[in-house]
């Protein structure tokens, strides 16, 4: 039986399985902490977006900051996806994974001139420009190279995505994008700059959004602009709807990607913009529920007010609980008979904020493996080496096969670039 929101994760014979692999076997074979991903889950997620967009010019740009491991990028490149990048480093990753530069959109509020040159040289599809000084800088860089940079403006539509303040990005008063009421003027300026080619418009209103309505509100605001731009002779080729669709961590019931995109396309068509190319930038919804973090219970520490289950994964491996107080489902890989108790699942890092889950009921013994679900997005990419902890290994399962896609780091490699004095 598959778990709600996790079509590629099954409970069978008291065990948890990812595609055809028992999670406990993966943990034993590759060691813990270990990230394990389902390749079929990633392909299915990409296909959902692509089905909804079929029959019109479109590009699904996977927002790779959610999970930028090369084999993940390769999987999406092979599925025909482009990429949404936010740094020069991410650009180099896409190219190393076999992705095409002409399917890359470059987002981010702080692109450096060096990154702009790198991206122009590579031939990226579009720069999503977030401010007027950035526009000027990009024009200067492109002009000096004898080029024109293709751009869209990231417009801040001032809608509330109803999500966590740290991951809400489409309200006035946050750092992202150009204010809606300035956009027309900025477009006219862009049109006049020698190093700029105006291609499109984009917005991205936040993350882990679980209903369609903020998207439709933002889209209406965007289309208003597209229309007033057209009235001023600026005809945009593409509309980039951004990313942000949520996934099921606990009991959220977000629309499917297909359903969400269909609703947005219906709005685009109804307002007479069906001929324009549509881009989307999904991150979390492409990989979040394709991955788990496997960890081993090192010690059980029952107490008067709390029981602690101390595991070998920590906040450095998975930041979301410590950083956003995110609730992530935790399940034993092998379900034990017998009484359940309530545990705080904590890591070895020397911080009280180092927890993965609080007040979780299950039966566990020392040495058991646990799986933190929905860990495919913003897991490995946010991992750090705090406490000189080597980062986890990663595996990708694909039907009956399993691929080691990232070796476990060694402690030596962490300080290899450091120098003693004298
Ligand atoms: C992070 C980000 C995305 C993806 O967001 P998700 O919530 O992971 O889908 C898309 N576009 C931009 C500009 C982003 O910064």
């Amino acid at each position: 039986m598959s778990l709600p929101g996790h079509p590629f994760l099954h409970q069978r014979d008291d065990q948890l399985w990812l595609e055809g692999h028992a999670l406990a076997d993966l943990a034993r074979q590759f060691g813990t902490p270990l990230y394990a991903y389902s390749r079929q889950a990633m392909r299915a997620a990409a296909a959902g977006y692509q089905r909804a967009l079929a029959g019109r010019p479109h590009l699904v740009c996977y927002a790779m900051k959610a999970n930028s491991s090369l084999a993940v990028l390769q999987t999406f490149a092979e599925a025909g996806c482009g990429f949404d990048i936010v740094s020069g480093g991410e650009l180099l990753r896409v190219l190393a994974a076999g992705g095409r530069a002409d399917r890359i959109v470059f987002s981010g509020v702080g692109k450096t001139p060096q990154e702009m040159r790198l991206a122009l040289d590579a031939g990226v599809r579009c720069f999503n420009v977030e401010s007027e000084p950035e526009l000027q800088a990009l024009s200067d860089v492109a002009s000096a190279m004898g080029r024109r940079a293709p751009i869209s403006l990231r417009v801040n539509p001032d809608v509330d995505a109803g999500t966590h303040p740290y991951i809400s990005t489409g309200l006035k008063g946050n750092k992202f994008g150009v204010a809606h009421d300035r956009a027309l003027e900025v477009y006219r300026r862009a049109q006049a700059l020698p190093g700029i080619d105006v291609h499109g418009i984009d917005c991205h209103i936040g993350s882990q959004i679980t209903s369609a309505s903020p998207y439709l509100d933002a889209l209406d605001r965007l289309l208003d602009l597209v229309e007033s731009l057209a009235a001023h002779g600026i005809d945009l080729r593409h509309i980039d709807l951004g990313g942000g669709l949520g996934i099921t961590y606990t009991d959220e019931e977000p629309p499917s990607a297909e359903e969400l995109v269909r609703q947005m396309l219906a709005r685009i068509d109804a307002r007479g913009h069906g001929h324009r190319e549509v881009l989307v930038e999904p991150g979390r919804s492409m990989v979040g529920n394709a991955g788990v973090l496997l960890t081993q219970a090192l010690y059980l520490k029952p107490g008067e007010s709390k029981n602690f289950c101390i595991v070998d994964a920590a906040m450095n491996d998975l930041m979301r609980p410590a950083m956003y107080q995110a609730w992530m489902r935790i399940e034993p890989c092998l379900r034990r008979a017998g009484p359940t108790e309530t545990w705080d699942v904590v890591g070895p890092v020397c911080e009280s904020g180092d927890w993965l889950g609080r007040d979780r009921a299950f039966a566990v013994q020392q040495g058991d493996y646990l799986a933190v679900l929905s860990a495919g997005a913003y897991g490995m990419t946010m991992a750090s080496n705090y406490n000189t902890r080597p980062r986890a290994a990663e595996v990708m399962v694909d039907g009956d096969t399993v691929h080691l896609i990232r070796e476990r780091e060694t402690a030596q490699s962490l300080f290899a670039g450091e120098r003693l004095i004298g």
Side-chain angles (χ1 to χ4, degrees), residues 63 65-66 84 107 154 204 206-208 243-245 281-284 378:
K65 73 179 189 291
D84 173 74
S107 301
R154 177 170 175 178
H204 173 69
S207 199
Q208 186 53 18
L245 177 60
E281 303 171 351
R284 188 188 311 268
Y378 304 106

Side-chain angles (χ1 to χ4, degrees), residues 296-344:
Q296 187 172 32
L298 295 174
Y299 305 108
L300 300 180
K301 204 171 162 184
E304 268 181 23
S305 58
K306 281 272 183 196
N307 297 322
F308 291 104
C309 174
I310 301 167
V311 298
D312 65 359
M315 63 187 284
N316 74 293
D317 300 298
L318 183 60
M319 277 283 271
R320 297 189 66 258
M323 186 158 167
Y324 309 113
Q325 287 76 51
W327 191 97
M328 302 182 71
R329 184 165 168 183
I330 301 175
E331 293 286 338
C333 293
L334 175 67
R335 206 175 270 181
R336 292 192 173 278
T340 64
E341 279 168 294
T342 300
W343 301 95
D344 275 15

Side-chain angles (χ1 to χ4, degrees), residues 113-114 116-117 120 136-147:
Q114 201 181 351
M116 291 171 178
R117 274 190 291 275
L120 282 164
Q136 183 65 55
L138 181 57
S139 178
D140 293 346
V141 168
S143 300
M145 295 169 72
R147 305 274 292 274

Side-chain angles (χ1 to χ4, degrees), residues 76-120:
F76 288 125
E78 287 174 6
C81 295
F83 298 91
D84 173 74
I85 66 169
V86 292
S87 72
E90 287 194 342
L91 170 58
L92 296 176
R93 271 187 181 275
V94 171
L95 299 178
R100 284 170 48 170
D102 63 357
R103 291 185 180 166
I104 290 175
V105 297
F106 191 174
S107 301
V109 293
K111 303 173 192 81
T112 65
Q114 201 181 351
E115 288 175 316
M116 291 171 178
R117 274 190 291 275
L118 185 69
L120 282 164

